[in-house]
Amino acid sequence: MRFRWATRTDVGRLRDHNEDAVWPTGIGDWEEVALVGVADGMGGHAGGEVASAVALETAIAAGGDPAMRIRAANLAVLDAARERPRLAGMGTTLILAEFGPGGEAHFGHVGDSRAYRFRAGDLSQVSTDHSYVAEMIAAGKMTADEAETHPYRSVLTRAVGLDKEVEVDTFTVDLEPGDLILLCSDGLTTMLSDAEVGAILHSGGDPVETVAKLVDAANSAGGVDNITVALVEAAE
Ligand code: CA
């Protein structure tokens, strides 16, 4: 199987800084392997930008499977915070997807950045949000509608860079030709419903065009947060 991809990150319409990071920054044109990632940092004094950048750079350079990469990223963010006390408490989400010629995507994931698979017109989220509201929904104590406006909707239950140990979700998604895998920060998914994202993916175009459409739509819907998308298309 081969893959082409594009990524895009945008500050949005309300924020001064972009605390998201994305890898790679260039496009891929029908390669046999791919490694993509999205990180959404948090913390004062530029901590968010540092955390997401350090985490993603470390994860890409570390080697190993996605969980090993994320554990290395976790320690690197902790180290960076130790060296710069003003950044203490910074952290980040991190989601990675590794694509190989066998037609599988291997994921590692911490936080509330998301992965979706789009197949034959259907969009399905394949990651689980590590957030307060997601846990309340899973426990039947909150509806998805309530979560959208809940004051704790951006509170994470897991993040990279906060503790020596980090629990990493890992999962594998089998791919078919024509499948799209979307990684994104919550700046996309808080602005657009899954149905709206699905409609944009359904409208066709190459990944470069599609990531631009996604970012434009999130900005048109308010752009209240940084918006980051990475889109990978699989072919025979
Ligand atoms: Ca965010």
Side-chain angles (χ1 to χ4, degrees):
M1 200 162 261
R2 293 171 307 129
F3 309 96
R4 65 175 179 172
W5 64 85
T7 65
R8 197 168 178 109
T9 186
D10 189 272
V11 69
R13 293 172 63 187
L14 295 185
R15 298 279 174 93
D16 297 331
H17 302 285
N18 190 345
E19 300 191 327
D20 288 358
V22 66
W23 179 268
T25 51
I27 63 165
D29 193 18
W30 300 126
E31 310 288 338
E32 291 194 338
V33 294
L35 176 62
V36 300
V38 167
D40 176 353
M42 65 210 79
H45 301 293
E49 285 162 86
V50 173
S52 61
V54 167
L56 198 50
E57 286 164 13
T58 303
I60 297 305
D65 63 30
M68 292 164 68
R69 292 175 185 273
I70 290 177
R71 285 194 289 269
N74 183 61
L75 295 176
V77 174
L78 279 173
D79 279 347
R82 252 197 302 269
E83 287 163 15
R84 297 167 69 178
R86 278 163 62 86
L87 304 184
M90 67 178 173
T92 185
T93 74
L94 182 55
I95 187 162
L96 297 175
E98 198 161 21
F99 298 80
E104 291 177 333
H106 300 283
F107 292 83
H109 162 58
V110 175
D112 70 349
S113 299
R114 289 181 177 174
Y116 290 87
R117 184 184 66 190
F118 184 74
R119 172 179 291 172
D122 285 325
L123 184 71
S124 51
Q125 184 179 343
V126 294
S127 60
T128 302
D129 295 350
H130 302 138
S131 68
Y132 171 77
V133 293
E135 291 190 358
M136 294 297 278
I137 292 169
K141 294 177 180 166
M142 192 184 289
T143 67
D145 278 351
E146 288 166 347
E148 276 183 24
T149 54
H150 196 280
Y152 295 164
R153 63 186 177 278
S154 58
V155 173
L156 299 183
T157 51
R158 279 194 233 172
V160 166
L162 300 184
D163 295 303
K164 270 191 206 162
E165 301 284 334
V166 62
E167 187 183 353
V168 181
D169 280 3
T170 58
F171 50 94
T172 297
V173 173
D174 291 321
L175 300 171
E176 294 178 358
D179 282 356
L180 301 174
I181 295 290
L182 172 69
L183 304 189
C184 61
S185 65
D186 67 340
L188 182 80
T189 48
T190 54
M191 291 293 99
L192 302 177
S193 67
D194 285 6
E196 289 168 321
V197 171
I200 291 168
L201 297 180
H202 197 65
S203 69
D206 67 31
V208 176
E209 294 165 339
T210 306
V211 295
K213 281 191 238 176
L214 289 167
V215 169
D216 289 348
N219 274 324
S220 296
V224 301
D225 195 0
N226 309 141
I227 305 152
T228 301
V229 293
L231 186 68
V232 180
E233 179 180 352
E236 198 69 73

